Amino acid sequence: MKRQTMRRAGVVALALTSLIGVGSTAQADAGRLASSCASDFCLYEHDDYSGAEEEFVFGDYNVCVRSLSLNNKASSMRNPSGARVQFYDSANCSGAYGYAARPRSSDSDLTNNGFDNKTSSVKPVRP
């Protein structure tokens, strides 16, 4: 009886230790995914809003802004602004845009839009 009680206690302790480990990993992931974009628009180097971040502040609509630090390197984005943001693969927003982010949206992986590692400039436009 005593051995069975000790075995159960050991199993419970092991299960709790596993849950604590999973909980801290889940908290770290949730913190990374919940990180805010304090500017009008943010690009991230890697999927899931990780890696280097480039923040953009838009002064007006229809003004092209070049990506300097993440030129052709962005893999995710957050758009907390009220503007639709168009992505271009050229430096001066020339030609047709390849992707548009809806106002107040985010995309954890630009691969599904065919624009992973392609953004060179962005332009906010009225929705």
Side-chain angles (χ1 to χ4, degrees):
M1 178 88 161
K2 201 174 204 181
R3 284 186 184 170
Q4 194 172 20
T5 303
M6 290 300 286
R7 191 176 307 142
R8 285 183 186 155
V11 169
V12 169
L14 181 61
L16 287 175
T17 302
S18 297
L19 287 175
I20 291 169
V22 169
S24 61
T25 302
Q27 286 175 345
D29 288 343
R32 179 175 47 83
L33 294 175
S35 66
S36 66
C37 175
S39 298
D40 291 335
F41 180 75
C42 295
L43 289 174
Y44 299 87
E45 181 180 16
H46 301 300
D47 294 345
D48 297 323
Y49 322 106
S50 62
E53 176 185 61
E54 186 171 11
E55 296 187 19
F56 298 83
V57 176
F58 302 131
D60 202 0
Y61 290 107
N62 296 315
V63 176
C64 184
V65 182
R66 290 182 63 183
S67 173
L68 300 176
S69 64
L70 291 179
N71 185 25
N72 294 324
K73 296 178 186 174
S75 292
S76 56
M77 70 86 195
R78 291 186 194 274
N79 180 18
S81 77
R84 185 179 79 219
V85 178
Q86 297 176 336
F87 293 52
Y88 295 83
D89 63 2
S90 61
N92 298 314
C93 298
S94 60
Y97 65 90
Y99 173 65
R102 291 186 321 260
R104 291 170 280 290
S105 67
S106 60
D107 192 335
S108 64
D109 185 357
L110 295 174
T111 303
N112 60 342
N113 299 306
F115 229 70
D116 190 38
N117 296 315
K118 291 184 179 180
T119 306
S120 291
S121 55
V122 295
K123 182 192 301 185
V125 296
R126 292 199 187 276

